[in-house]
Coordinates of all heavy atoms in Angstrom, one line a residue:
M1 N 26.5 20.5 17.0 CA 25.6 21.0 18.1 C 24.5 20.1 18.5 O 24.0 19.3 17.6 CB 24.9 22.3 17.6 CG 25.8 23.5 17.5 SD 25.9 24.4 19.0 CE 24.3 25.3 18.9
E2 N 24.2 20.1 19.7 CA 23.1 19.2 20.2 C 21.8 19.5 19.6 O 20.9 18.7 19.4 CB 23.1 19.3 21.7 CG 22.6 18.0 22.3 CD 22.6 18.1 23.8 OE1 23.7 18.3 24.4 OE2 21.6 18.1 24.5
R3 N 21.6 20.8 19.3 CA 20.3 21.2 18.9 C 19.8 20.5 17.6 O 18.7 20.1 17.4 CB 20.3 22.7 18.6 CG 18.9 23.3 18.3 CD 19.0 24.8 18.0 NE 19.1 25.5 19.2 CZ 19.1 26.9 19.3 NH1 19.0 27.6 18.2 NH2 19.2 27.5 20.4
A4 N 20.8 20.4 16.6 CA 20.5 19.7 15.4 C 20.0 18.3 15.6 O 19.0 17.9 15.0 CB 21.7 19.7 14.5
A5 N 20.7 17.6 16.5 CA 20.2 16.3 16.8 C 18.8 16.2 17.4 O 18.0 15.4 17.1 CB 21.2 15.6 17.7
K6 N 18.6 17.2 18.2 CA 17.3 17.3 18.9 C 16.1 17.4 17.9 O 15.1 16.8 18.1 CB 17.2 18.5 19.8 CG 17.1 18.1 21.3 CD 17.0 19.3 22.1 CE 17.4 18.9 23.6 NZ 17.5 20.1 24.4
F7 N 16.3 18.1 16.8 CA 15.2 18.4 15.9 C 15.2 17.4 14.7 O 14.4 17.5 13.8 CB 15.3 19.8 15.3 CG 14.8 20.8 16.4 CD1 15.7 21.3 17.3 CD2 13.5 21.1 16.4 CE1 15.2 22.2 18.3 CE2 13.0 21.9 17.4 CZ 13.9 22.5 18.3
K8 N 16.1 16.4 14.7 CA 16.0 15.4 13.7 C 14.7 14.6 13.9 O 14.5 14.1 15.0 CB 17.2 14.5 13.9 CG 17.6 13.6 12.7 CD 18.8 12.8 13.0 CE 19.0 11.7 12.0 NZ 20.1 10.8 12.4
P9 N 13.9 14.5 12.8 CA 12.6 13.9 13.0 C 12.8 12.4 13.3 O 13.6 11.7 12.6 CB 11.9 14.1 11.7 CG 13.0 14.5 10.7 CD 14.1 15.0 11.5
E10 N 12.0 11.9 14.2 CA 12.0 10.5 14.5 C 10.6 10.0 14.2 O 9.6 10.7 14.4 CB 12.4 10.2 15.9 CG 13.9 10.2 16.2 CD 14.2 10.0 17.6 OE1 13.6 9.1 18.2 OE2 15.0 10.8 18.2
K11 N 10.6 8.7 13.8 CA 9.3 8.2 13.4 C 8.2 8.3 14.5 O 7.1 8.8 14.2 CB 9.4 6.7 13.1 CG 9.1 6.4 11.6 CD 9.1 4.9 11.3 CE 8.9 4.7 9.9 NZ 9.1 3.3 9.5
K12 N 8.6 8.1 15.7 CA 7.5 8.1 16.8 C 7.1 9.5 17.1 O 6.0 9.7 17.7 CB 8.1 7.4 18.0 CG 9.3 8.1 18.6 CD 9.8 7.4 19.8 CE 11.1 8.0 20.3 NZ 11.7 7.3 21.5
H13 N 7.8 10.5 16.6 CA 7.4 11.9 16.9 C 6.6 12.5 15.7 O 6.0 13.5 15.9 CB 8.6 12.8 17.1 CG 9.3 12.4 18.4 ND1 10.7 12.5 18.5 CD2 8.9 12.0 19.5 CE1 11.1 12.1 19.7 NE2 10.0 11.8 20.4
L14 N 6.5 11.7 14.6 CA 5.7 12.3 13.5 C 4.2 12.2 13.8 O 3.8 11.2 14.4 CB 6.0 11.5 12.2 CG 7.4 11.7 11.7 CD1 7.7 10.8 10.5 CD2 7.7 13.1 11.3
P15 N 3.5 13.2 13.4 CA 2.0 13.2 13.7 C 1.4 12.1 12.9 O 1.7 11.8 11.8 CB 1.6 14.6 13.2 CG 2.6 15.0 12.3 CD 3.9 14.4 12.7
K16 N 0.4 11.4 13.5 CA -0.3 10.4 12.9 C -1.5 10.9 12.1 O -2.6 11.0 12.6 CB -0.7 9.3 13.9 CG 0.4 8.5 14.4 CD -0.1 7.5 15.4 CE 1.1 6.7 16.0 NZ 0.7 5.8 17.1
R17 N -1.2 11.4 10.9 CA -2.3 12.0 10.2 C -3.0 11.0 9.2 O -4.1 11.3 8.8 CB -1.7 13.2 9.3 CG -1.4 14.4 10.1 CD -1.3 15.6 9.3 NE -0.8 16.7 10.1 CZ 0.2 17.5 9.6 NH1 0.7 17.3 8.4 NH2 0.7 18.5 10.4
R18 N -2.3 9.9 9.0 CA -2.9 9.0 8.0 C -4.1 8.2 8.7 O -4.0 8.0 9.9 CB -1.8 7.9 7.6 CG -0.8 8.6 6.8 CD 0.2 7.5 6.3 NE 0.7 6.7 7.4 CZ 1.4 5.6 7.2 NH1 1.6 5.2 6.0 NH2 1.8 4.9 8.2
P19 N -5.1 7.9 7.9 CA -6.2 7.1 8.4 C -5.6 5.8 9.0 O -4.6 5.2 8.4 CB -7.1 6.8 7.2 CG -6.7 7.8 6.2 CD -5.3 8.2 6.5
S20 N -6.2 5.3 10.0 CA -5.6 4.1 10.7 C -5.5 2.9 9.8 O -4.6 2.1 9.9 CB -6.4 3.8 11.9 OG -7.7 3.4 11.6
H21 N -6.4 2.7 8.8 CA -6.4 1.5 8.0 C -5.2 1.4 7.1 O -4.9 0.4 6.6 CB -7.7 1.3 7.2 CG -7.9 2.3 6.1 ND1 -8.8 3.4 6.2 CD2 -7.3 2.4 4.9 CE1 -8.7 4.1 5.1 NE2 -7.9 3.5 4.3
H22 N -4.5 2.6 7.0 CA -3.3 2.5 6.2 C -2.2 1.6 6.8 O -1.3 1.2 6.2 CB -2.7 3.9 5.9 CG -3.4 4.6 4.7 ND1 -2.7 5.4 3.9 CD2 -4.6 4.5 4.3 CE1 -3.6 5.8 3.0 NE2 -4.7 5.3 3.2
S23 N -2.4 1.4 8.1 CA -1.4 0.6 8.8 C -1.4 -0.8 8.4 O -0.5 -1.6 8.6 CB -1.6 0.7 10.3 OG -2.9 0.1 10.7
L24 N -2.5 -1.2 7.7 CA -2.6 -2.6 7.1 C -1.4 -2.8 6.1 O -0.9 -3.8 6.0 CB -3.9 -2.8 6.5 CG -5.1 -3.0 7.4 CD1 -6.4 -3.0 6.6 CD2 -5.0 -4.3 8.2
Y25 N -1.1 -1.7 5.4 CA -0.1 -1.8 4.4 C 1.3 -1.8 5.0 O 2.3 -2.2 4.4 CB -0.1 -0.5 3.5 CG -1.3 -0.5 2.6 CD1 -2.4 0.3 2.8 CD2 -1.3 -1.2 1.4 CE1 -3.5 0.4 2.0 CE2 -2.4 -1.2 0.5 CZ -3.5 -0.4 0.8 OH -4.5 -0.3 0.0
D26 N 1.4 -1.5 6.3 CA 2.7 -1.5 7.0 C 3.1 -2.8 7.6 O 4.1 -3.0 8.1 CB 2.7 -0.4 8.1 CG 2.8 1.0 7.6 OD1 3.3 1.1 6.4 OD2 2.3 1.9 8.2
T27 N 2.2 -3.8 7.4 CA 2.5 -5.1 8.0 C 3.5 -5.9 7.0 O 3.4 -5.7 5.8 CB 1.2 -5.9 8.2 OG1 0.6 -6.1 6.9 CG2 0.3 -5.3 9.1
R28 N 4.3 -6.7 7.7 CA 5.3 -7.5 6.9 C 4.5 -8.5 6.0 O 4.8 -8.8 4.9 CB 6.2 -8.2 7.8 CG 7.1 -9.1 7.1 CD 8.0 -9.9 8.0 NE 9.0 -9.1 8.6 CZ 10.0 -9.6 9.4 NH1 10.0 -10.9 9.6 NH2 10.9 -8.8 9.9
F29 N 3.4 -8.9 6.6 CA 2.6 -9.9 5.9 C 2.0 -9.3 4.6 O 2.0 -10.0 3.5 CB 1.4 -10.4 6.8 CG 0.7 -11.6 6.1 CD1 1.3 -12.8 6.0 CD2 -0.6 -11.4 5.7 CE1 0.6 -13.9 5.4 CE2 -1.3 -12.4 5.1 CZ -0.7 -13.7 4.9
W30 N 1.6 -8.1 4.6 CA 1.1 -7.5 3.4 C 2.2 -7.3 2.4 O 2.1 -7.6 1.2 CB 0.4 -6.1 3.7 CG 0.3 -5.3 2.4 CD1 1.0 -4.2 2.0 CD2 -0.7 -5.6 1.4 NE1 0.5 -3.8 0.8 CE2 -0.5 -4.6 0.4 CE3 -1.7 -6.5 1.2 CZ2 -1.2 -4.6 -0.8 CZ3 -2.4 -6.5 0.0 CH2 -2.2 -5.5 -1.0
R31 N 3.3 -6.8 2.9 CA 4.5 -6.5 1.9 C 4.9 -7.8 1.2 O 5.1 -7.9 0.0 CB 5.6 -5.9 2.7 CG 5.4 -4.4 2.9 CD 6.7 -3.8 3.3 NE 7.3 -4.3 4.6 CZ 7.0 -3.7 5.7 NH1 6.3 -2.6 5.8 NH2 7.5 -4.2 6.8
E32 N 5.0 -8.9 2.0 CA 5.4 -10.2 1.4 C 4.4 -10.8 0.5 O 4.7 -11.3 -0.5 CB 5.9 -11.1 2.5 CG 7.2 -10.7 3.2 CD 7.6 -11.6 4.3 OE1 6.9 -12.5 4.7 OE2 8.7 -11.3 4.9
S33 N 3.1 -10.7 1.0 CA 2.0 -11.3 0.2 C 1.9 -10.5 -1.1 O 1.7 -11.1 -2.2 CB 0.7 -11.2 0.9 OG 0.8 -11.9 2.1
S34 N 2.0 -9.2 -1.0 CA 1.9 -8.3 -2.2 C 3.0 -8.6 -3.2 O 2.8 -8.7 -4.4 CB 1.9 -6.9 -1.8 OG 1.9 -6.0 -2.9
K35 N 4.2 -8.7 -2.7 CA 5.4 -9.0 -3.5 C 5.2 -10.3 -4.3 O 5.4 -10.4 -5.5 CB 6.6 -9.0 -2.6 CG 7.9 -9.1 -3.4 CD 9.1 -8.9 -2.5 CE 10.4 -9.3 -3.1 NZ 11.1 -10.4 -2.5
R36 N 4.8 -11.3 -3.5 CA 4.6 -12.6 -4.2 C 3.5 -12.6 -5.2 O 3.6 -13.1 -6.3 CB 4.2 -13.7 -3.1 CG 4.6 -15.1 -3.5 CD 4.7 -16.0 -2.3 NE 5.5 -15.5 -1.2 CZ 5.1 -15.4 0.1 NH1 3.9 -15.7 0.4 NH2 6.0 -14.9 1.0
F37 N 2.4 -11.9 -4.9 CA 1.3 -11.7 -5.8 C 1.8 -11.1 -7.1 O 1.4 -11.5 -8.2 CB 0.2 -10.8 -5.2 CG -1.0 -10.6 -6.0 CD1 -1.9 -11.6 -6.2 CD2 -1.2 -9.4 -6.6 CE1 -3.1 -11.4 -7.0 CE2 -2.3 -9.2 -7.4 CZ -3.3 -10.2 -7.6
L38 N 2.6 -10.0 -7.0 CA 3.1 -9.4 -8.2 C 4.1 -10.2 -9.0 O 4.2 -10.1 -10.2 CB 3.8 -8.0 -7.8 CG 2.8 -7.0 -7.2 CD1 3.6 -5.7 -6.8 CD2 1.7 -6.6 -8.2
E39 N 4.8 -11.1 -8.3 CA 5.7 -12.0 -9.0 C 4.9 -13.0 -9.8 O 5.3 -13.4 -10.9 CB 6.6 -12.8 -8.0 CG 7.7 -11.9 -7.5 CD 8.4 -12.5 -6.2 OE1 8.0 -13.6 -5.8 OE2 9.4 -11.8 -5.7
Q40 N 3.7 -13.4 -9.3 CA 2.9 -14.3 -10.0 C 2.0 -13.7 -11.0 O 1.5 -14.4 -11.9 CB 2.0 -15.1 -9.0 CG 2.8 -16.0 -8.1 CD 2.0 -16.4 -6.8 OE1 0.9 -15.9 -6.6 NE2 2.6 -17.3 -6.0
N41 N 1.8 -12.4 -10.9 CA 1.0 -11.7 -11.9 C 1.8 -10.4 -12.4 O 1.7 -9.4 -11.8 CB -0.3 -11.2 -11.2 CG -1.1 -12.4 -10.6 OD1 -1.9 -13.0 -11.3 ND2 -0.9 -12.6 -9.3
Q42 N 2.5 -10.7 -13.4 CA 3.5 -9.7 -13.8 C 3.0 -8.6 -14.7 O 3.7 -7.6 -14.8 CB 4.8 -10.4 -14.4 CG 5.4 -11.4 -13.4 CD 6.8 -11.7 -13.7 OE1 7.2 -11.6 -14.9 NE2 7.6 -12.0 -12.7
N43 N 1.8 -8.8 -15.2 CA 1.4 -7.7 -16.1 C 0.2 -7.0 -15.5 O -0.7 -7.6 -14.9 CB 0.9 -8.4 -17.5 CG 2.1 -8.9 -18.2 OD1 3.1 -8.3 -18.4 ND2 2.0 -10.2 -18.6
C44 N 0.2 -5.7 -15.8 CA -0.9 -4.8 -15.3 C -2.3 -5.4 -15.8 O -2.4 -5.7 -17.0 CB -0.7 -3.4 -15.9 SG -2.0 -2.3 -15.3
A45 N -3.2 -5.4 -14.9 CA -4.5 -6.0 -15.1 C -5.3 -5.2 -16.1 O -6.3 -5.7 -16.7 CB -5.3 -6.2 -13.8
C46 N -5.0 -3.9 -16.3 CA -5.8 -3.1 -17.2 C -5.6 -3.4 -18.7 O -6.3 -2.9 -19.6 CB -5.6 -1.6 -16.9 SG -4.3 -0.9 -17.7
G47 N -4.5 -4.1 -19.0 CA -4.2 -4.5 -20.4 C -3.3 -3.5 -21.1 O -3.2 -3.5 -22.3
C48 N -2.7 -2.6 -20.3 CA -1.9 -1.6 -21.0 C -0.5 -2.1 -21.4 O 0.2 -1.5 -22.2 CB -1.6 -0.4 -20.0 SG -0.7 -0.9 -18.5
G49 N -0.2 -3.4 -20.9 CA 1.0 -4.0 -21.4 C 2.2 -3.7 -20.5 O 3.3 -4.2 -20.7
H50 N 2.0 -2.8 -19.5 CA 3.1 -2.5 -18.5 C 3.2 -3.6 -17.5 O 2.3 -4.4 -17.2 CB 2.8 -1.2 -17.8 CG 3.1 0.0 -18.7 ND1 2.1 0.6 -19.5 CD2 4.2 0.7 -19.0 CE1 2.6 1.6 -20.2 NE2 3.9 1.7 -19.9
L51 N 4.4 -3.6 -16.8 CA 4.6 -4.6 -15.7 C 3.8 -4.1 -14.5 O 3.7 -2.9 -14.3 CB 6.1 -4.7 -15.4 CG 6.9 -5.5 -16.4 CD1 8.4 -5.4 -16.0 CD2 6.5 -6.9 -16.5
S52 N 3.3 -5.0 -13.7 CA 2.6 -4.7 -12.5 C 3.7 -4.2 -11.5 O 4.8 -4.7 -11.4 CB 1.9 -5.9 -12.0 OG 2.8 -6.9 -11.7
E53 N 3.2 -3.2 -10.7 CA 4.1 -2.6 -9.7 C 3.4 -2.6 -8.3 O 4.1 -2.5 -7.3 CB 4.6 -1.2 -10.1 CG 5.4 -1.2 -11.3 CD 5.6 0.2 -11.9 OE1 4.6 0.7 -12.5 OE2 6.6 0.9 -11.6
V54 N 2.1 -2.5 -8.3 CA 1.4 -2.4 -7.0 C 0.2 -3.4 -7.0 O -0.3 -3.7 -8.1 CB 0.9 -1.0 -6.8 CG1 2.0 0.0 -6.5 CG2 0.0 -0.5 -7.9
T55 N -0.1 -3.9 -5.9 CA -1.3 -4.7 -5.7 C -2.4 -3.8 -5.4 O -2.4 -3.0 -4.4 CB -1.1 -5.7 -4.6 OG1 0.1 -6.5 -4.9 CG2 -2.3 -6.6 -4.4
D56 N -3.4 -3.8 -6.2 CA -4.6 -3.0 -6.0 C -5.8 -3.8 -5.5 O -5.9 -4.9 -5.8 CB -4.9 -2.3 -7.4 CG -6.1 -1.4 -7.2 OD1 -6.1 -0.5 -6.4 OD2 -7.1 -1.6 -8.0
H57 N -6.6 -3.1 -4.7 CA -7.9 -3.7 -4.3 C -9.0 -3.3 -5.3 O -9.2 -2.2 -5.5 CB -8.3 -3.3 -2.9 CG -7.3 -3.8 -1.9 ND1 -6.2 -3.1 -1.5 CD2 -7.3 -5.0 -1.2 CE1 -5.5 -3.8 -0.6 NE2 -6.2 -5.0 -0.4
I58 N -9.6 -4.4 -6.0 CA -10.6 -4.1 -7.0 C -11.7 -3.3 -6.4 O -12.1 -2.3 -6.9 CB -11.0 -5.4 -7.6 CG1 -9.8 -6.2 -8.3 CG2 -12.1 -5.2 -8.6 CD1 -10.1 -7.6 -8.6
V59 N -12.3 -3.9 -5.3 CA -13.3 -3.1 -4.5 C -12.5 -2.4 -3.4 O -11.8 -3.0 -2.6 CB -14.3 -4.1 -3.9 CG1 -15.3 -3.3 -3.1 CG2 -15.0 -4.9 -5.0
P60 N -12.6 -1.1 -3.4 CA -11.9 -0.4 -2.3 C -12.2 -0.9 -0.9 O -13.4 -1.0 -0.6 CB -12.3 1.1 -2.5 CG -12.9 1.2 -3.9 CD -13.4 -0.2 -4.2
H61 N -11.2 -1.2 -0.1 CA -11.5 -1.9 1.1 C -11.9 -0.9 2.2 O -12.6 -1.2 3.1 CB -10.3 -2.7 1.6 CG -9.0 -1.9 1.7 ND1 -8.7 -1.2 2.9 CD2 -8.0 -1.6 0.9 CE1 -7.6 -0.5 2.7 NE2 -7.1 -0.8 1.5
R62 N -11.4 0.4 2.1 CA -11.8 1.4 3.0 C -11.7 0.9 4.5 O -12.5 1.2 5.3 CB -13.2 1.9 2.8 CG -13.4 2.5 1.4 CD -14.6 3.3 1.2 NE -14.9 3.6 -0.2 CZ -14.2 4.4 -1.0 NH1 -13.2 5.1 -0.5 NH2 -14.6 4.6 -2.2
G63 N -10.6 0.2 4.7 CA -10.3 -0.2 6.1 C -11.0 -1.6 6.5 O -10.7 -2.1 7.6
D64 N -11.8 -2.1 5.6 CA -12.4 -3.4 5.8 C -11.3 -4.5 5.7 O -10.8 -4.8 4.6 CB -13.5 -3.7 4.8 CG -14.3 -5.0 5.1 OD1 -13.6 -5.9 5.6 OD2 -15.5 -5.0 4.8
E65 N -11.0 -5.2 6.8 CA -9.9 -6.2 6.7 C -10.2 -7.4 5.9 O -9.3 -8.0 5.4 CB -9.4 -6.6 8.2 CG -8.8 -5.4 8.9 CD -8.0 -5.9 10.1 OE1 -7.4 -7.0 10.0 OE2 -8.0 -5.1 11.1
V66 N -11.5 -7.7 5.9 CA -11.9 -8.9 5.1 C -11.6 -8.6 3.6 O -11.0 -9.4 2.9 CB -13.3 -9.3 5.3 CG1 -13.8 -10.4 4.4 CG2 -13.5 -9.7 6.7
L67 N -12.1 -7.5 3.1 CA -11.8 -7.1 1.7 C -10.3 -6.9 1.5 O -9.8 -7.3 0.4 CB -12.5 -5.7 1.4 CG -13.9 -5.8 0.9 CD1 -14.4 -4.4 0.7 CD2 -14.0 -6.6 -0.4
F68 N -9.6 -6.3 2.5 CA -8.2 -6.1 2.3 C -7.4 -7.3 2.1 O -6.5 -7.4 1.2 CB -7.7 -5.4 3.6 CG -6.2 -4.9 3.5 CD1 -6.0 -3.6 3.0 CD2 -5.2 -5.7 3.8 CE1 -4.6 -3.2 2.9 CE2 -3.9 -5.3 3.7 CZ -3.6 -4.1 3.2
W69 N -7.7 -8.4 2.8 CA -6.9 -9.6 2.7 C -7.5 -10.6 1.7 O -6.9 -11.7 1.5 CB -6.8 -10.3 4.1 CG -6.0 -9.5 5.0 CD1 -6.5 -8.9 6.2 CD2 -4.6 -9.2 5.0 NE1 -5.5 -8.2 6.8 CE2 -4.3 -8.4 6.1 CE3 -3.6 -9.5 4.1 CZ2 -3.1 -7.9 6.3 CZ3 -2.3 -9.0 4.3 CH2 -2.1 -8.2 5.4
D70 N -8.6 -10.3 1.1 CA -9.3 -11.2 0.1 C -8.5 -11.2 -1.2 O -8.6 -10.2 -2.0 CB -10.7 -10.9 -0.1 CG -11.4 -11.8 -1.0 OD1 -10.8 -12.7 -1.5 OD2 -12.6 -11.6 -1.3
R71 N -7.8 -12.3 -1.5 CA -7.0 -12.2 -2.7 C -7.8 -12.2 -4.0 O -7.3 -11.8 -5.0 CB -6.1 -13.5 -2.8 CG -4.9 -13.3 -1.8 CD -4.0 -14.5 -1.7 NE -3.1 -14.3 -0.6 CZ -1.8 -14.4 -0.7 NH1 -1.3 -14.7 -1.9 NH2 -1.0 -14.3 0.3
S72 N -9.0 -12.6 -4.0 CA -9.9 -12.5 -5.2 C -10.2 -11.0 -5.4 O -10.7 -10.7 -6.5 CB -11.1 -13.3 -5.0 OG -11.9 -12.8 -4.0
N73 N -9.9 -10.2 -4.4 CA -10.1 -8.7 -4.6 C -8.8 -8.0 -5.0 O -8.8 -6.8 -5.0 CB -10.7 -8.2 -3.3 CG -11.2 -6.7 -3.5 OD1 -11.7 -6.4 -4.5 ND2 -11.0 -5.9 -2.4
W74 N -7.8 -8.8 -5.2 CA -6.5 -8.1 -5.6 C -6.3 -8.1 -7.1 O -6.7 -9.1 -7.8 CB -5.3 -8.9 -5.0 CG -5.3 -8.9 -3.5 CD1 -6.2 -8.3 -2.6 CD2 -4.3 -9.5 -2.6 NE1 -5.8 -8.5 -1.3 CE2 -4.6 -9.2 -1.3 CE3 -3.1 -10.2 -2.9 CZ2 -3.8 -9.7 -0.2 CZ3 -2.3 -10.7 -1.9 CH2 -2.7 -10.4 -0.5
Q75 N -5.7 -7.1 -7.6 CA -5.3 -7.2 -9.0 C -4.0 -6.4 -9.1 O -3.7 -5.5 -8.4 CB -6.3 -6.5 -9.9 CG -6.6 -5.0 -9.6 CD -7.6 -4.4 -10.6 OE1 -7.9 -5.0 -11.6 NE2 -8.0 -3.2 -10.3
P76 N -3.1 -6.9 -10.0 CA -1.8 -6.3 -10.3 C -2.0 -5.1 -11.2 O -2.7 -5.2 -12.2 CB -1.0 -7.4 -11.0 CG -2.0 -8.2 -11.7 CD -3.3 -8.1 -10.9
L77 N -1.4 -4.0 -10.8 CA -1.5 -2.8 -11.6 C -0.1 -2.1 -11.7 O 0.7 -2.1 -10.8 CB -2.5 -1.7 -11.0 CG -4.0 -2.0 -11.1 CD1 -4.7 -0.8 -10.6 CD2 -4.4 -2.3 -12.6
A78 N 0.1 -1.5 -12.9 CA 1.3 -0.6 -13.0 C 1.0 0.6 -12.1 O -0.2 1.0 -11.8 CB 1.5 -0.1 -14.4
K79 N 2.0 1.3 -11.6 CA 1.8 2.4 -10.7 C 0.9 3.5 -11.3 O 0.0 4.0 -10.6 CB 3.2 3.0 -10.2 CG 3.0 4.0 -9.1 CD 4.2 4.1 -8.3 CE 3.9 4.9 -7.0 NZ 3.0 6.0 -7.2
K80 N 1.2 3.9 -12.5 CA 0.5 5.0 -13.1 C -1.0 4.6 -13.3 O -1.9 5.4 -13.2 CB 1.1 5.4 -14.4 CG 1.0 4.4 -15.5 CD 1.4 5.0 -16.9 CE 1.1 4.0 -18.0 NZ 1.1 4.6 -19.3
C81 N -1.3 3.3 -13.6 CA -2.7 2.9 -13.7 C -3.4 2.9 -12.4 O -4.5 3.2 -12.3 CB -2.7 1.5 -14.3 SG -1.9 1.4 -16.0
H82 N -2.6 2.5 -11.3 CA -3.2 2.5 -10.0 C -3.5 3.9 -9.6 O -4.5 4.2 -9.0 CB -2.2 1.9 -9.0 CG -2.6 1.9 -7.6 ND1 -2.1 2.8 -6.7 CD2 -3.5 1.2 -6.9 CE1 -2.7 2.7 -5.5 NE2 -3.6 1.7 -5.6
D83 N -2.6 4.9 -9.9 CA -2.8 6.3 -9.5 C -4.1 6.8 -10.2 O -4.8 7.5 -9.6 CB -1.6 7.1 -9.9 CG -0.4 6.8 -9.0 OD1 -0.6 6.1 -7.9 OD2 0.7 7.2 -9.3
L84 N -4.2 6.4 -11.5 CA -5.4 6.9 -12.2 C -6.7 6.3 -11.6 O -7.7 7.0 -11.5 CB -5.3 6.4 -13.7 CG -4.4 7.3 -14.6 CD1 -4.2 6.6 -16.0 CD2 -4.9 8.7 -14.7
K85 N -6.6 5.1 -11.2 CA -7.8 4.4 -10.6 C -8.1 5.1 -9.3 O -9.3 5.4 -9.0 CB -7.5 2.9 -10.4 CG -8.7 2.2 -9.8 CD -8.4 0.7 -9.8 CE -9.6 -0.1 -9.2 NZ -9.5 -0.1 -7.7
S86 N -7.1 5.4 -8.5 CA -7.3 6.0 -7.2 C -7.9 7.4 -7.4 O -8.8 7.8 -6.6 CB -6.0 6.1 -6.5 OG -5.4 4.9 -6.3
L87 N -7.5 8.1 -8.4 CA -8.1 9.4 -8.6 C -9.7 9.3 -8.8 O -10.4 10.1 -8.4 CB -7.5 10.1 -9.9 CG -6.2 10.7 -9.7 CD1 -5.7 11.3 -11.0 CD2 -6.2 11.8 -8.6
G88 N -10.0 8.2 -9.6 CA -11.4 8.0 -9.9 C -12.3 7.7 -8.7 O -13.5 7.8 -8.7
E89 N -11.6 7.2 -7.6 CA -12.3 6.7 -6.4 C -12.5 7.8 -5.4 O -13.1 7.6 -4.4 CB -11.5 5.6 -5.8 CG -11.7 4.3 -6.5 CD -10.7 3.2 -6.1 OE1 -10.0 3.5 -5.2 OE2 -10.7 2.1 -6.7
R90 N -12.0 9.0 -5.7 CA -12.1 10.1 -4.7 C -13.5 10.6 -4.5 O -14.2 10.6 -5.5 CB -11.2 11.2 -5.2 CG -9.9 11.2 -4.4 CD -9.1 12.4 -4.7 NE -7.6 12.0 -4.6 CZ -6.6 12.8 -5.0 NH1 -6.9 14.0 -5.5 NH2 -5.4 12.4 -4.9
Ligands
ZN1 ZN1 -2.2 -0.6 -16.9

């Protein structure tokens, strides 16, 4: 039926609820830089001994592009450690 196809969600139709600065993460440059950073820094910075999975901003950038791209503000974290840190920043 045509109806099913009509209601298939498409990216451009999804509501933009995310804060705009999240789009910084959607850039190819961020993905590639982050991936390389994690390859060079394979252990979680908190010392838990887990492998790093995400690039975290030590100082929350809150949309500030200078902070966002400043590699001295990056640290490698395991996902669960990053999630814990993010909770603390709320
Ligand atoms: Zn950790």
Side-chain angles (χ1 to χ4, degrees):
M1 286 273 283
E2 206 176 300
R3 185 181 285 185
K6 247 182 198 171
F7 283 91
K8 199 174 165 189
E10 280 178 47
K11 242 185 186 173
K12 59 181 176 180
H13 293 145
L14 291 176
K16 288 180 180 172
R17 283 197 192 135
R18 293 186 306 172
S20 61
H21 68 256
H22 276 214
S23 63
L24 288 168
Y25 290 102
D26 285 335
T27 58
R28 176 185 287 186
F29 186 69
W30 166 254
R31 280 195 297 267
E32 287 177 358
S33 302
S34 173
K35 189 171 164 241
R36 206 162 306 131
F37 181 75
L38 293 175
E39 281 166 2
Q40 290 163 354
N41 303 275
Q42 301 202 331
N43 293 310
C44 179
C46 87
C48 65
H50 285 90
L51 286 176
S52 62
E53 294 166 283
V54 291
T55 303
D56 179 56
H57 293 89
I58 299 167
V59 179
H61 58 86
R62 302 195 194 287
D64 183 330
E65 291 199 35
V66 175
L67 270 179
F68 186 90
W69 294 113
D70 181 1
R71 283 176 192 234
S72 66
N73 190 37
W74 295 2
Q75 63 179 346
L77 286 183
K79 187 153 190 328
K80 64 167 190 169
C81 301
H82 177 257
D83 290 347
L84 283 173
K85 180 173 182 277
S86 301
L87 282 177
E89 283 166 5
R90 259 184 213 172

